[in-house]
Amino acid sequence: MSVIPVPSGDVTVEVDGRIVIVTFNRPEKRNAITQGMYGAIADTLEAADADLGVAAVIFTGNGAAFTAGNDLEDFASGANLDQVSRFLQVIRTVNVPLIAAVNGMAVGVGLTMLLHCDLVYVEPSVVLSAPFVSLGLVPEAASSLILPRVVGERRAAEILLGGRKIDGNEAAEWGLANAVASSALTAAREAAKSLIGQPPQAIRATKALLHSDELTVGGRMAEEMTRFMEALGGAEFAEVIAARNEKRPPVF
């Protein structure tokens, strides 16, 4: 595996075998995210995405919060939001699997970034909210488009217009999370381990299809066929067939 950037301070990165764990590390500020933190996270995601040795990236928070959202003082300072925009584009386009371990409150981007994660695990006591309107702002991260698809238009309106807060059990019931766990990080690690040993290029290609902007049935079928034919002639499929013939586990 290539070298993954390892920031220190407000964002920490742990490389555990083929799993990369990104931790929001400002517990005294409930892990509110600054523009500098966005840049550090984007750097890490880009490096992980480029490295087929990385099976998954896990997001979690240090302390009692996942993240309280954007650091409003930092955002109100008048600095440009280039790193924020970069992070949002990166989290939308990377093909490495992203897993969220929501260990505490998840506010604003703490909720909307979950819409771009492939797997989400929450603890029962978490509180998720998107109070953009109450701040005189509007939603970001395409949440006005994706959230209604996930939870339905009425529930999305409750969250985005009315500031409705939801707990861990509701998050799972509404489809925002895969499951509720006593330790979200433990559940996320187990999910990440299940991806180890899978063909990494096939994983990334499948994720790209899941997040494709092509919404018509015919267009998606054509996109799938293109990727299917590429995979059929690729090294991973050849290794699967060879391993079956030789009665051994495939090696990727």
Side-chain angles (χ1 to χ4, degrees), residues 18-102:
R18 295 184 58 194
I19 302 168
V20 174
I21 302 171
V22 177
T23 302
F24 310 131
N25 188 37
R26 296 181 77 202
E28 73 285 358
K29 294 289 187 179
R30 297 182 299 177
N31 298 325
I33 303 176
T34 63
Q35 296 169 71
M37 290 170 68
Y38 277 117
I41 298 165
D43 287 343
T44 302
L45 289 179
E46 287 176 343
D49 195 43
D51 187 347
L52 291 178
V54 177
V57 175
I58 295 174
F59 295 111
T60 195
N62 180 20
F66 181 64
T67 171
N70 295 323
D71 184 312
L72 297 180
E73 292 183 4
D74 183 58
F75 273 53
S77 66
N80 68 63
L81 302 182
D82 287 352
Q83 292 302 327
V84 181
S85 297
R86 176 171 164 245
F87 163 79
L88 293 177
Q89 287 302 311
V90 170
I91 199 172
R92 182 184 73 84
T93 56
V94 294
N95 291 321
V96 63
L98 304 178
I99 304 174
V102 185

Side-chain angles (χ1 to χ4, degrees), residues 166-183:
I166 61 175
D167 61 26
N169 290 315
E170 287 175 318
E173 291 170 6
W174 289 15
L176 276 168
N178 291 82
V180 180
S182 57
S183 169

Side-chain angles (χ1 to χ4, degrees), residues 11 15 32 40 60-61 65 78 115 151 178 191 201 209 230 240 250 252:
V11 177
V15 179
T60 195
L115 301 173
V151 304
N178 291 82
Q201 291 178 334
L209 287 168
E230 291 173 350
V240 170
F252 301 108

Side-chain angles (χ1 to χ4, degrees), residues 12 20 32 51 66 76 79 87 89 111 113 119 134 145 162 167 172 197 202 207-208 212-213 215 218 233 248:
T12 62
V20 174
D51 187 347
F66 181 64
F87 163 79
Q89 287 302 311
L111 186 158
M113 70 179 291
L119 300 169
S134 66
L145 174 68
D167 61 26
K207 172 170 174 170
S212 172
D213 291 329
L215 299 178
R248 60 173 175 79

Side-chain angles (χ1 to χ4, degrees), residues 109-174:
V109 72
L111 186 158
T112 61
M113 70 179 291
L114 304 182
L115 301 173
H116 299 277
C117 292
D118 303 289
L119 300 169
V120 177
Y121 298 93
V122 297
E123 295 179 10
S125 61
V126 306
V127 177
L128 286 71
S129 63
F132 298 105
V133 168
S134 66
L135 293 169
L137 301 172
V138 298
E140 29 79 308
S143 55
S144 61
L145 174 68
I146 304 172
L147 187 61
R149 293 177 182 172
V150 174
V151 304
E153 290 186 6
R154 302 294 178 264
R155 285 173 169 171
E158 284 188 78
I159 295 170
L160 295 178
L161 295 178
R164 169 82 142 81
K165 298 178 180 180
I166 61 175
D167 61 26
N169 290 315
E170 287 175 318
E173 291 170 6
W174 289 15

